[in-house]
Structure formats: structure tokens, C-alpha cells
């Protein structure tokens, strides 16, 4: 571009053939006046849109009250959606239980995984339900303490890994925390069938749910990548998942839970674990 080139701008009145005005401008002059003018116009436009009520006319722009109402509406919709899903799950489960044409079998096989619920989103039990649960727990206390070990006598339980160590805090807990080596695959505690494999948002990692003989069900949580799928038949001692990633203290651990005929028992009382 030739910056020295000049341009003549003429304004004429063609009806009278009179020349009203005439000027000569160069390319450099046009750039010096035009570019700053455009930038100034952009700056003024941005200032007007940001610091004046005109910004409400922009698409997607909300004032503070509208933003607060929108946030509250979204939270209310999420809460209602969770309540609707929970009620629908209860109705579906009730329909399955009362269906006389349903094939006999463990009810766990008919459950539908609904995902993890936040503790504050779960509806509390009514006083009548609490009394019923207390009465059933008192009634089944004998079965938990006596019949479960008797049934376990006919089972061949193995540890989740040869180096498995149960923590002292969970030695007598129904939610056993077991320390494992980082390079050892985790194995099934007994022969059984895999019921479900899914990621667990609460404990992180994966959860494997397994059905065993004599009414035992085991759940392994905080696992690494799984090696089995739902419906697989596994043997006791067979690898079902990799060890989990280390936590903030660089420790590898999993959570093991065991049920017997629907009642949770202490895992360390049934399977061999190092202290």
C-alpha cells in the first residue's frame, strides 16, 4: 500500500453544477483518524453496555433478582425430580413384590440400580416404620448371631487378596475397610454370580455386587477397573478387579460388606483377614 497516495474528495451540487467543497486526503491520514475512531466507538459502546441498564437488553443477561429466582427454580426442580424418581422406584418395587407371576428367586436380582443418593435427599422413616424395623431387628438378632456362622460353616471363604489387612477401627464393623497392595488383583471371597458392576460416586471407584450360596451377598467398593460383568459366574479366589488408586495418604484400600439373608454381618467374623 502506497501511504503517500492522495485522494480527492469533492462535494458538488449537480442541479446547479456548483462545487460545494473539495479536499485532498492521504492513506496515512485516513488510518490515523479512522482506526482510533473505531476503537473509541467500541470502548464507548462497551462502557454503555456494562455500566448502564442497557446491559439487560443483551441476550442471556439477567439482573440479580432474576438470577436468584432462576437458581431457586432449578434447585426446586432437581428436588422434585429426585422425589419423583424415589417414589417411582418404590412403586416399581412394590409391583414386582406383589406380582404373583414373578419367578421365585432372590429379590436382589429384580432390583434396579438407581445410583447414589445424597444423604440429605433420602426421605426419613416414619415412626411406624422405625418401630417395625426395631421389632424385626430384635426378632432376627438370633438369626444374625447364630444362623449366619452355621451357614458359613458350609462355605469356603477366602480373603480378597493374600496381603489383605483389616483396619483396627473396622475389625468389628459391618463396613470393613481392608488395606491391599497396589499391584495385587482383588478376588471374590467365595463362589457366586455377579449381580451388578457400577461406578460408585460416594466412595469413588467401582462397586461389584455378588450373590453367593446359602443366602450370602457380598459388595466390594472403592475398586479399580473391574474384570467381571453382571451375570458372570466366578469362583472363590478369582480376580474380579484391580486394586484402587491410592488416596490422599497414598494408601490402597477397599470396603467390604456382607449380607446373610438380607441382614448385614461383620466380614471379619467370616473371612480370614490379617489385623
Amino acid at each position: 500500500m502506497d501511504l503517500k497516495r492522495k485522494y480527492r474528495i469533492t462535494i458538488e451540487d449537480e442541479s446547479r453544477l456548483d462545487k460545494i467543497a473539495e479536499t485532498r486526503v492521504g492513506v496515512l491520514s485516513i488510518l490515523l483518524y479512522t482506526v482510533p475512531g473505531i476503537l473509541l466507538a467500541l470502548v464507548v459502546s462497551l462502557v454503555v453496555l456494562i455500566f448502564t441498564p442497557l446491559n439487560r437488553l443483551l441476550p442471556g443477561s439477567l439482573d440479580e433478582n432474576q438470577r436468584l429466582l432462576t437458581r431457586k427454580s432449578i434447585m426446586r426442580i432437581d428436588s422434585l425430580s429426585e422425589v419423583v424418581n424415589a417414589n417411582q422406584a418404590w412403586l416399581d418395587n412394590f409391583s414386582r413384590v406383589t406380582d404373583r407371576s414373578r419367578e421365585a428367586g432372590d429379590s436382589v436380582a429384580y432390583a434396579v440400580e438407581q445410583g447414589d443418593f445424597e444423604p440429605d435427599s433420602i426421605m426419613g422413616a416414619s415412626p411406624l416404620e422405625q418401630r417395625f424395623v426395631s421389632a424385626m431387628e430384635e426378632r432376627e438378632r438370633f438369626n444374625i448371631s447364630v444362623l449366619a456362622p452355621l451357614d458359613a460353616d458350609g462355605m469356603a471363604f477366602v480373603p480378597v487378596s493374600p496381603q489383605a489387612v483389616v483396619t483396627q477401627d473396622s475389625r468389628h464393623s459391618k463396613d470393613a475397610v481392608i488395606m491391599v497392595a497396589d499391584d495385587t488383583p482383588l478376588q471374590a471371597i467365595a463362589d457366586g454370580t455377579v449381580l451388578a458392576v457400577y461406578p460408585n460416586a460416594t466412595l469413588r471407584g467401582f462397586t461389584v455386587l455378588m450373590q453367593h450360596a446359602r443366602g450370602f451377598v457380598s459388595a466390594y467398593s472403592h475398586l479399580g477397573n473391574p474384570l467381571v460383568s453382571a451375570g458372570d459366574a466366578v469362583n472363590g479366589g478369582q480376580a474380579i478387579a484391580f486394586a484402587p488408586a491410592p488416596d490422599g495418604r497414598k494408601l490402597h484400600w477397599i470396603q467390604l460388606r456382607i449380607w446373610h439373608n438380607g441382614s448385614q454381618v461383620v466380614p471379619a467374623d467370616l473371612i480370614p483377614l490379617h489385623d
Side-chain angles (χ1 to χ4, degrees), residues 205-236:
F206 286 85
T207 292
V208 174
L209 189 66
M210 191 174 303
Q211 175 76 59
H212 306 284
R214 294 180 177 268
F216 286 95
V217 175
S218 60
Y220 316 76
S221 299
H222 197 256
L223 303 177
N225 291 330
L227 299 174
V228 293
S229 302
D232 290 349
V234 299
N235 299 321

Side-chain angles (χ1 to χ4, degrees), residues 31-206:
L31 293 177
L32 289 177
Y33 290 103
T34 303
V35 174
I38 294 174
L39 294 177
L40 179 61
L42 290 175
V43 171
V44 172
S45 301
L46 289 175
V47 171
V48 170
L49 290 175
I50 294 175
F51 297 102
T52 66
L54 292 177
N55 58 5
R56 299 179 183 177
L57 301 178
L58 295 176
S61 177
L62 299 174
D63 57 26
E64 188 62 26
N65 292 332
Q66 292 174 329
R67 189 176 295 108
L68 181 61
L69 290 175
T70 301
R71 188 182 301 114
K72 288 183 178 179
S73 299
I74 293 175
M75 294 176 62
R76 188 177 295 110
I77 291 174
D78 290 341
S79 299
L80 292 175
S81 177
E82 291 182 358
V83 172
V84 170
N85 291 337
N87 290 338
Q88 186 61 46
W90 187 91
L91 292 173
D92 293 342
N93 186 62
F94 182 80
S95 298
R96 286 191 294 269
V97 172
T98 56
D99 185 7
R100 295 186 177 181
S101 62
R102 178 171 65 93
E103 296 181 1
D106 198 313
S107 60
V108 177
Y110 298 94
V112 178
E113 179 60 36
Q114 297 295 328
D116 296 328
F117 288 93
E118 295 297 330
D120 56 356
S121 68
I122 301 177
M123 294 180 293
S126 65
L128 183 60
E129 291 174 329
Q130 293 176 355
R131 289 196 299 270
F132 174 78
V133 171
S134 299
M136 292 302 297
E137 289 178 349
E138 185 68 23
R139 180 179 177 181
E140 295 295 327
R141 181 174 300 176
F142 176 80
N143 292 338
I144 296 174
S145 60
V146 177
L147 296 183
L150 291 178
D151 283 339
D153 288 341
M155 298 284 293
F157 288 110
V158 297
V160 294
S161 74
Q163 298 83 16
V165 177
V166 63
T167 62
Q168 289 294 334
D169 295 339
S170 65
R171 179 64 180 79
H172 302 287
S173 173
K174 297 179 181 178
D175 298 332
V177 176
I178 301 173
M179 312 304 297
V180 297
D182 60 347
D183 57 349
T184 303
L186 305 176
Q187 56 194 23
I189 62 172
D191 298 347
T193 302
V194 178
L195 296 176
V197 178
Y198 58 91
N200 191 316
T202 302
L203 294 177
R204 299 183 180 180
F206 286 85

